[in-house]
């Protein structure tokens, strides 16, 4: 597979979410042919025999192989999207639907499916639900777009008012809350069927749990490396509606990626991206560190000058 575009994020990830063209297939490949536009996400291998693998949830396999900075079955290191070409088992390749631009498909292979997977797994795809997105970044903005396309009333929660206009007028959110505004948070108690938490740093949980209805779900997607704390009665029924769940999910399965690509193609969803060339990578990383991108960089490798 040759590389046409790769998506970029801040978590060491300028090497996955790859879209390109199939240039050669092995003798046992049946799903693809030369010339197909395909994508590869965060994983390129698994054991195929454990309980997660048998349940088509290979992202939870303990022997999964990352698309970058890992060791493949032949002993070679995986290079991800920064390599000139890529050899991948057909299990971990998805076909990009006709009508879905490669640069738009790239962010769906990790960021998009990271949001889609919990909505699908927990039965939250039906229309009419009231959902919340905590944190409006690369994953969060995909959450707003996907939830709205499913017919949900979507509330965005952010640390400041800076992203209100974009959340409401560009992404189509229905409501915007500033997390430090205690009065507005309290007024929204018991109002959400689910809250997707994309924040990757430590933050208090109690206020967000209070936003959930009976049987509401707080779904953690941001990786936080310190223990989280919350007041356990908030999960019960002492102060607010109870029987709530705090859970978390990790990216998505290959099946879910295929479902999401078809869903986004049918709905005409377009993420907020900025296409750059490889020679711009260092500047792009500096801008990422300064939170100066809305909301994903996509690197056009085919149009880049790779000879310098």
């Amino acid at each position: 597979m040759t590389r046409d575009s790769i998506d970029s994020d801040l978590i060491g990830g300028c090497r996955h979410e790859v879209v390109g063209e199939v240039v050669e297939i092995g003798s046992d490949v049946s799903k693809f042919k030369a010339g197909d536009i395909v994508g590869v996400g965060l994983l390129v291998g698994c054991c195929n025999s454990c309980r997660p693998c048998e349940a088509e949830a290979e992202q939870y396999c303990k022997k999964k192989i990352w698309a970058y900075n890992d060791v493949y079955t032949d002993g070679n290191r995986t290079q991800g999207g920064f390599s000139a070409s890529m050899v991948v088992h057909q299990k971990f390749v998805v076909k990009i639907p006709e009508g879905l631009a490669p640069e738009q498909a790239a962010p769906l292979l990790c960021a998009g499916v990271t949001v889609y997977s919990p909505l699908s797994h927990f039965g939250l795809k039906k229309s009419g639900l009231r959902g919340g997105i905590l944190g409006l970044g690369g994953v969060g903005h995909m959450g707003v777009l996907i939830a709205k396309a499913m017919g949900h009333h979507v509330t965005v929660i952010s640390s400041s008012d800076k992203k209100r206009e974009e959340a409401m007028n560009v992404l189509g959110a229905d409501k915007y809350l500033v997390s430090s505004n205690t009065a507005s948070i309290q007024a929204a108690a018991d109002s959400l069927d689910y809250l997707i938490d994309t924040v990757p740093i430590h933050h208090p949980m109690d206020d967000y749990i209070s936003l959930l209805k009976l049987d509401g779900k707080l779904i953690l997607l941001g990786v936080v490396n310190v223990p989280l704390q919350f007041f356990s009665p908030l999960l019960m029924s002492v102060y607010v509606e109870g029987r709530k769940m705090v859970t978390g999910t990790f990216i998505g399965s290959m099946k879910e990626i295929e479902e999401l690509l078809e869903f986004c193609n049918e709905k005409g969803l377009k993420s907020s991206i900025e296409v750059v060339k490889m020679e711009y990578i260092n500047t792009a990383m500096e801008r990422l560190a300064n939170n100066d991108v809305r909301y994903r960089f996509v690197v056009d490798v085919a149009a880049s000058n790779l000879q310098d």
Side-chain angles (χ1 to χ4, degrees), residues 5-232:
S5 60
I6 59 174
D7 181 66
S8 172
D9 60 30
L10 192 54
I11 323 174
C14 294
R15 295 180 284 273
H16 68 281
E17 298 177 298
V18 180
V19 175
E21 179 182 356
V22 176
V23 293
E24 187 176 354
I25 60 172
S27 58
D28 293 331
V29 173
S30 58
K31 293 175 61 178
F32 307 99
K33 65 182 185 304
D36 284 346
I37 303 301
V38 298
V40 177
L42 187 54
L43 303 181
V44 294
C46 64
C47 76
N48 291 307
S49 61
C50 66
R51 185 166 58 179
C53 286
E54 291 177 349
E56 294 186 301
E58 58 280 333
Q59 71 271 34
Y60 299 110
C61 174
K62 292 182 180 179
K63 296 182 180 179
K64 57 183 170 286
I65 301 174
W66 305 101
Y68 63 94
N69 284 350
D70 206 345
V71 179
Y72 202 56
T73 53
D74 61 3
N76 289 318
R77 295 203 65 84
T78 57
Q79 302 292 330
F82 278 171
S83 52
S85 61
M86 194 176 196
V87 179
V88 187
H89 191 283
Q90 65 177 336
K91 175 182 176 66
F92 293 94
V93 180
V94 292
K95 189 170 182 178
I96 305 302
E98 290 186 19
L100 185 60
E103 65 271 19
Q104 284 293 332
L108 303 179
L109 302 175
C110 184
V113 79
T114 294
V115 175
Y116 179 84
S117 180
L119 292 174
S120 177
H121 177 75
F122 292 114
L124 300 171
K125 293 197 295 182
K126 59 186 178 183
S127 63
L129 297 180
R130 300 180 71 90
I133 305 294
L134 178 58
L136 195 63
V139 175
H141 101 280
M142 289 299 312
V144 177
L145 293 172
I146 291 170
K148 286 297 298 180
M150 290 178 175
H152 298 180
H153 179 285
V154 178
T155 297
V156 170
I157 306 170
S158 189
S159 59
S160 73
D161 221 27
K162 291 190 302 183
K163 298 181 181 179
R164 180 186 294 272
E165 182 177 353
E166 187 162 5
M168 303 287 287
N169 299 330
V170 178
L171 301 177
D174 301 284
K175 190 173 182 179
Y176 188 96
L177 298 176
V178 177
S179 57
S180 59
N181 188 326
T182 303
S184 64
I185 295 292
Q186 291 177 345
D190 303 326
S191 65
L192 301 179
D193 294 294
Y194 66 87
L195 176 60
I196 292 179
D197 184 347
T198 72
V199 177
I201 59 174
H202 182 266
H203 52 285
M205 305 294 291
D206 291 350
D207 284 347
Y208 306 124
I209 294 174
S210 73
L211 296 175
L212 300 174
K213 296 180 182 178
L214 175 70
D215 290 328
K217 297 172 179 62
L218 174 56
I219 304 166
L220 303 175
L221 301 184
V223 177
V224 179
N225 293 320
V226 296
L228 299 176
Q229 294 181 322
F230 54 85
F231 191 47
S232 63

Side-chain angles (χ1 to χ4, degrees), residues 276-281 299-308:
V276 300
K277 296 181 181 179
M278 187 67 79
E279 47 266 37
Y280 190 77
I281 281 291
V299 185
D300 187 345
V301 178
S304 299
N305 181 7
L306 301 182
Q307 303 305 314
D308 293 340

